[in-house]
Structures are given as structure tokens and as C-alpha cells.
Amino acid sequence: MPITEQVRVYVPATVPLLAMLKESGQLPVTEGHTVTPGLREWYAEGDEEELEYVAFTRAAQAALQLLRHDPKAPSRRVVVSADVPASALVREDNELGSSMVTLPQPLSIKSVAAIHVDSADAAEQVAAAAEVVLEALAGDPDAQFTVDGAEDHELEWYAVTELDELL
């Protein structure tokens, strides 16, 4: 049997999406971030750990965008770390420095390596950042300052087995 190369993908989510993961065994999100060739070329000086951190941070920022579209969700960024076959990923954005990938199907709970979630004390700054994340991405320095405030909070690490307690 051939060995399939696994790649760590960071998938943005929200607390309600985690509830769906628990209930159905699948995360209905098909976009994620990983160390792509374009990201590796852009950060030529970065080692693998630094590149993984860039992809993780971009997923956390994408979680802010999900929160913007779901104002009823708790104001906590969620990033699901998963190991998926490299051959399953679609790299549609070939822009230099991009970490974006598309998953061909919803993420199975079996592929989840860890779940990362903001602590409750980050909620106020995360809510403010979610409101202005698109403006920050468009280059607004005041909005970027607000997003940076949320990014000052490190996401907490949870094992998949802690999903019940997390929810």
C-alpha cells in the first residue's frame, strides 16, 4: 500500500461550526491554510515552524471573517488543525505568498489533530476585530490596529477528545 503524504491544514471555524463537527463528525468548511509552495517562496528565510505559524495566523484571521457573518456566534476565533492527504488539496490561489487551499469535501473529525480557541477574556477584542476585519484586509490602518489587538491573544489548544467540554 503506498504511503500518502499528509499535510497539516489550518481550517477557520466558529463555536457553532464546532458543534456541527461534534454532531455530524464533519466540519462543513472547505477552505483552509497550509504551507504552500507560494508561501514557502515568499518567506524564503522562514523555517518550517515559522511558515506553519503564518498559515495558522491566516486561518485565525479568516475565523474573524466567519464571525463577521455569524453575529450570534460567541466572539471566539476557532482554528481546527487537521492532517489531510496532500493529494486531496486544491491550490486555486497561486499568488506568491498565498497559504489558501480548498478541501474537496468537509473535514472529517478523524483527520482533526487539535482545536484552537480563544479564551473568554479575548471576546471583547475579537468582537471588535470581527467588525472591522474586511477594512483591515483592505489596508485601513485603524482597522488593522483593532485586528492586531485580537491577534495579541494566543488561541488555546484542545485535543479532539475535549470537544464536549469545549462546547
Side-chain angles (χ1 to χ4, degrees):
M1 180 187 285
I3 297 174
T4 304
E5 180 189 2
Q6 297 286 307
V7 175
R8 179 63 52 98
V9 178
Y10 303 100
V11 181
T14 61
V15 172
L17 288 171
L18 285 181
M20 289 181 189
L21 175 65
K22 179 183 178 276
E23 290 169 21
S24 70
Q26 294 187 326
L27 185 67
V29 177
T30 57
E31 289 187 343
H33 294 267
T34 192
V35 178
T36 63
L39 183 67
R40 193 171 267 116
E41 187 176 342
W42 182 260
Y43 289 94
E45 300 289 318
D47 64 18
E48 196 67 20
E49 189 173 316
E50 291 170 320
L51 295 173
E52 293 278 346
Y53 186 75
V54 169
F56 178 87
T57 302
R58 290 180 179 174
Q61 192 171 62
L64 287 174
Q65 294 175 52
L66 292 175
L67 288 171
R68 182 181 177 121
H69 297 296
D70 186 0
K72 293 181 183 176
S75 297
R76 297 168 79 184
R77 294 169 300 164
V78 176
V79 175
V80 176
S81 297
D83 295 319
V84 299
S87 60
L89 298 176
V90 178
R91 290 175 178 85
E92 293 177 4
D93 185 356
N94 293 320
E95 185 177 316
L96 189 62
S98 175
S99 60
M100 178 74 78
V101 291
T102 301
L103 301 161
Q105 59 195 23
L107 193 63
S108 166
I109 196 166
K110 293 176 184 174
S111 64
V112 175
I115 300 167
H116 312 271
V117 182
D118 273 311
S119 63
D121 67 339
E124 187 176 320
Q125 287 179 299
V126 169
E131 288 181 22
V132 298
V133 66
L134 295 180
E135 291 84 351
L137 290 170
D140 181 320
D142 292 332
Q144 186 61 52
F145 182 78
T146 303
V147 169
D148 290 345
E151 290 177 355
D152 286 344
H153 293 274
E154 291 290 326
L155 278 72
E156 298 175 343
W157 183 94
Y158 295 89
V160 179
T161 56
E162 297 177 286
L163 193 52
D164 284 337
E165 295 83 25
L166 187 56
L167 295 172

